[in-house]
Every structure is written in structure tokens, then in C-alpha cells.
Amino acid sequence: MSETTIIQGGTLVLPDTTMKADIIIRDHVIAELGDGLDVPAGATVLNAEGAYVGPAFVDLHAHLREPGGEAAETVATGAAAGVKGGYSALVAMPNTVPAIDSVPVAAHVLELGRRSMLEVVPAGAITLGRRGEHLAPMGELAALGLTFFTDDGTGVQNAGLMRRALLYAKGLGLTLAQHCEDESLAGAGCMNASALSSRLGLAGRPAIAEEAMVARDLLLAQDTGARLHVLHLSTARSLAMVREAQARGVAVTAEVTPHHFTLTEESCAGYDPTFKVHPPLRGSTDVEALRIGLHAGYIDAVATDHAPHAPEMKERPFDEAAPGMLGLETAFSLTLEALGGGEADPVLLFKVLSRTPAHIANLTRHDQRRHGLSAHGGDLSIGTDANLVIVDTSTRSVVNRHDLASLARNTPYEGRSLIGAVRHTVVAGTVALRDGEFTR
Ligand code: DOR
């Protein structure tokens, strides 16, 4: 018998407005909606008093490290971190070992996802081994249900190859997601190129390394008519170019990460490799532009770039340490804080964390056609899959890396007091997190 759950006393966040109502979940879908619903016999009761109830979050950018990087994270532990962070679906990045560039590896990650606490959607690699030389079999991977392709970790450097990939993607109805950094400009840089990097004696990765590839790919997307998604956009100029292209009708979307809109390059001043990431943390002008853009609704999605690393990869000199930082368990609070904390517009909050990313990953009700996966980022109407999150927007807690569900510990927010908390997470009708605790 499938479980019945009632979510009581919350404020529902719909696509354009909010509404006080209870929700009854039965047979994995939203079965009833209304004020003061009776508790069905044997139902699990989730208290949502004083909280928002919305579609659970969808992360377009999670490094789950399996296969090959199990010392840092597994699909199971990454999924647990996701559930704790309020997510029902994660797009798993393909820079695993081996890369997700073949049907057997993609099928393996899908299977690991099915055994995890939430829904895992593998992204396919654009090129074989992410080496940027030959295209991966995107058609075969698409037949398995993959619609999102990227070489993330690096961008496709060769413009001719990227153009060919976009043409294939267009024909197959896929989205190409690009890690925009031109390696001939980024070189061996390990932090933002600036006066600070010179003072610290660290080689810099200049903003132009990102912006040059954003500019190139916007032109290629326009020229081919293919759908492009810009991963972890980090500068004011990148955002301006994306907006300008969108205004011209180019099929482009962009994400920003919480670390790029909350942390500046100053964090690197103590040479702590926790703050090393690609693209790098930028100066305060860029960070402020991203915050303004987020607040104004100019940014399509907040994505984590959750990048777990084993201690031995991070506890090295800054220039030798692996780039990347954790994100799944802090993204909601940081986004809430940037949008105004308790005063944040809940419609915008759920738009950037759930509805638009679900759309970009083809996980919504209308275009979700992948085997065994449910629809995410929904409008909370009756009959839709119950992927839901219930969040507090006023409580505060201090980040303690030892409390994280992730296997890794490389959070840049250790000791920081954050606003907001994920109270309950429901994945495909099953309560996965209740009062902040896992149910199994
Ligand atoms: O800092 C990063 N780390 N940027 C990326 O694009 C990849 C990621 C990783 O896989 O660790």
C-alpha cells in the first residue's frame, strides 16, 4: 500500500502567487488541496505551520563522483545531501572516472540513482572522455533519456567541435551546457586574476577567460539555433551578454552558484584551498552584479556546482589543490539570504531553485519523458507528482561541516550563521526528510 501524507498549515508557493492550503499526497501524487483538510486514517502528518510549501529543488549541477571518485562522494551520499538541502532531483555531472560518455556508464549512474533517496539525472559528456577531441555518442545517450550534455570541469575549447555538437544537439532536441573558460586565457591560474592575485603571488584566471567563451558560444548558439545553458556564470559582463542574447531570442539560459554571489576573491587571501574553485571567486563588483541580477529575476537558475573532494585533494598548497566546494546543503539558505531573508519573494525563490531548473533539465510535467523519473518543479496542482519541500525562512543555524550528509567536508561556509532551514522533503510522494531528519 502506498503511503498517505498530509502537509498541514503551510503557505503554498504557486508559480505566480501564494495560498494557504493543506495538501494530501496519495499514490505519489498531490491528491487533494484545500484549507483545513481532515487527516486521513493512518496518514503521516507533516507540520508546515509558518513555512512555505513548494516544489522541491532541482540542481542542474551536482558532482556525485561515482563512478571513480567514491572517496569524495557517492551517488547515495550526494543524494542524501540533496534531500537535506531540499532537493528532489539532481543532474549528475559527467566528469566521473570513467566519464559519462557511453550507455553503460550512464545506465550505471541511473541505476545508482534509482537506489538513492532522490532522482538522479545523469548529464552526458559532449566529447569522449571529456577530452575535447571527438563527439560522444549523444544520440545513443539521448535514447536512454539524457537531454543535458556537458564536458563540465572544462569547456569544449575547439569552436568547430562545439559548433558541430550544437548542430547534433539541435537535431536531437538536447541542451548543451558549457563550462565557459578558455584555457588559453585561464592557463594554470588558480584564483581570480586581479591586484589581489598579484599581491598573493598566485597565478590568476582572468574574467576574460570566461567571457570570451560565453561570447563565442552565444554566437554559436544563435548561428545553429541550438539550446545552450551557461554553467556557473560568474561575472557582470557574462550576465550582460547572456541577457542581451536572450533579448535577441537566442535559446540560452544561465545559472549562478551560491558561492559566486556570496563570496569574493578576498576569501583566498589566507591561501585556504577551500576557496579554490573554477571559475574562481571574483571581485566585489562582479559579486554585487550577480546579487542584483538574482534579485531582479535576470538569472534563470541557482545551481550548486556541489564539488566534493577528499581531504588529500584539498589539503595541499593553494595552487596544487583540487578546485571546487560543497553546495547542496547550503544553497537554499544562501539564496534565501541573497533574496532578502524572511522578506524574500517566495515565487522568485522557487523559480530559481526549482521551477526554471526543472524546465532547463527537461524534468517538468510536460516534457519529462525519461524512464522511471517523475516530474519536478511543478505547479502543485492536483494529479501532479509530489516532489515537495517545506522550508522555514526565519530560523537560523550555524554550518558545522561534521553535520553534513555529504561524505566530503569542503564547505566554504563553516561556522557561518545562515538563515532558513529545510524542514521536510518529499520525493515522488515519499517523505525522505522529516523535521530535518532522514526517515530511513
Ligand atoms: O571548481 C570546480 N570543480 N569547477 C568545476 O567546473 C568542476 C568541479 C569539480 O568537478 O571538482
Side-chain angles (χ1 to χ4, degrees):
M1 205 177 71
S2 87
E3 71 186 273
T4 302
T5 301
I6 180 164
I7 303 171
Q8 277 190 322
T11 299
L12 310 191
V13 184
L14 305 178
D16 297 305
T17 185
T18 60
M19 172 179 103
K20 285 279 287 180
D22 300 340
I23 289 181
I24 292 176
I25 301 165
R26 208 178 282 120
D27 295 329
H28 311 292
V29 300
I30 296 180
E32 288 178 56
L33 278 176
D35 224 0
L37 296 179
D38 293 333
V39 178
T44 301
V45 179
L46 296 181
N47 174 14
E49 287 293 339
Y52 286 126
V53 181
F57 309 139
V58 173
D59 190 15
L60 290 169
H61 199 146
H63 295 277
L64 301 182
R65 301 296 189 222
E66 207 175 351
E70 293 83 353
E73 194 81 284
T74 65
V75 170
T77 59
V83 161
K84 220 165 159 204
Y87 291 85
S88 56
L90 306 178
V91 175
M93 288 289 112
N95 62 338
T96 48
V97 184
I100 307 177
D101 63 358
S102 69
V103 167
V105 180
H108 177 58
V109 175
L110 274 168
E111 179 52 32
L112 292 171
R114 275 193 280 275
R115 286 189 245 142
S116 81
M117 280 186 208
L118 47 61
E119 297 196 348
V120 172
V121 190
I126 297 174
T127 69
L128 284 175
R130 300 173 43 255
R131 285 186 295 274
E133 293 163 1
H134 305 285
L135 292 183
M138 285 194 276
E140 289 174 26
L141 292 162
L144 207 63
L146 276 59
T147 66
F148 201 71
F149 287 75
T150 179
D151 274 3
D152 182 60
T154 51
V156 178
Q157 301 296 309
N158 184 299
L161 191 62
M162 186 62 184
R163 182 167 182 277
R164 217 144 36 85
L166 285 162
L167 287 169
Y168 276 108
K170 164 91 174 150
L172 293 164
L174 310 173
T175 301
L176 294 195
Q178 184 76 295
H179 174 128
C180 290
E181 280 190 301
D182 180 322
E183 281 166 14
S184 71
L185 294 166
C190 58
M191 68 168 287
N192 188 38
S194 63
L196 179 64
S197 64
S198 305
R199 209 168 73 229
L200 295 173
L202 293 172
R205 301 172 87 78
I208 192 72
E210 171 178 316
E211 292 155 353
M213 194 176 277
V214 170
R216 183 200 80 176
D217 284 3
L218 289 173
L219 291 173
L220 290 173
Q222 178 169 16
D223 198 47
T224 57
R227 266 201 315 273
L228 174 73
H229 178 70
V230 178
L231 298 165
H232 43 43
L233 175 157
S234 74
T235 80
R237 187 148 60 171
S238 293
L239 178 57
M241 287 189 289
V242 167
R243 291 200 65 221
E244 188 267 341
Q246 286 174 331
R248 281 188 287 115
V250 179
V252 59
T253 50
E255 66 181 40
V256 290
T257 68
H259 50 266
H260 285 122
F261 63 73
T262 57
L263 302 171
T264 69
E265 61 174 2
E266 290 292 333
S267 304
C268 303
Y271 298 94
D272 179 350
T274 310
F275 298 98
K276 179 175 175 181
V277 66
H278 294 169
L281 302 176
R282 304 292 186 188
S284 53
T285 310
D286 283 321
V287 173
E288 194 51 29
L290 298 188
R291 290 177 83 84
I292 291 169
L294 183 66
H295 211 270
Y298 297 161
I299 285 162
D300 300 297
V302 170
T304 66
D305 194 5
H306 179 81
H309 286 292
E312 60 270 26
M313 301 304 291
K314 272 299 201 187
E315 290 165 10
R316 294 183 182 198
F318 196 95
D319 56 341
E320 293 171 19
M325 44 184 69
L326 299 183
L328 284 168
E329 295 174 70
T330 46
F332 158 68
S333 288
L334 294 160
T335 307
L336 176 70
E337 182 185 81
L339 290 176
E343 306 298 308
D345 170 6
V347 168
L348 182 56
L349 183 73
F350 280 91
K351 195 169 168 201
V352 294
L353 281 169
S354 177
R355 291 194 168 103
T356 307
H359 191 72
I360 294 169
N362 289 300
L363 283 169
T364 60
R365 192 181 184 188
H366 299 294
D367 49 17
Q368 200 292 115
R369 53 185 179 277
R370 262 73 73 68
H371 320 293
L373 298 176
S374 58
H376 300 262
D379 61 4
L380 310 188
S381 59
I382 289 177
T384 57
D385 292 331
N387 287 303
L388 301 167
V389 68
I390 292 88
V391 291
D392 287 294
T393 57
S394 53
T395 46
R396 296 198 78 91
S397 58
V398 174
V399 179
N400 178 344
R401 62 183 196 274
H402 300 294
D403 293 342
L404 298 173
S406 173
L407 199 55
R409 295 286 170 257
N410 55 305
T411 173
Y413 299 105
E414 177 69 6
R416 185 153 157 174
S417 167
L418 297 183
I419 191 162
V422 176
R423 209 189 274 186
H424 320 292
T425 309
V426 179
V427 179
T430 299
V431 181
L433 190 82
R434 186 176 180 182
D435 294 312
E437 304 286 337
F438 295 117
T439 54
R440 60 189 156 106

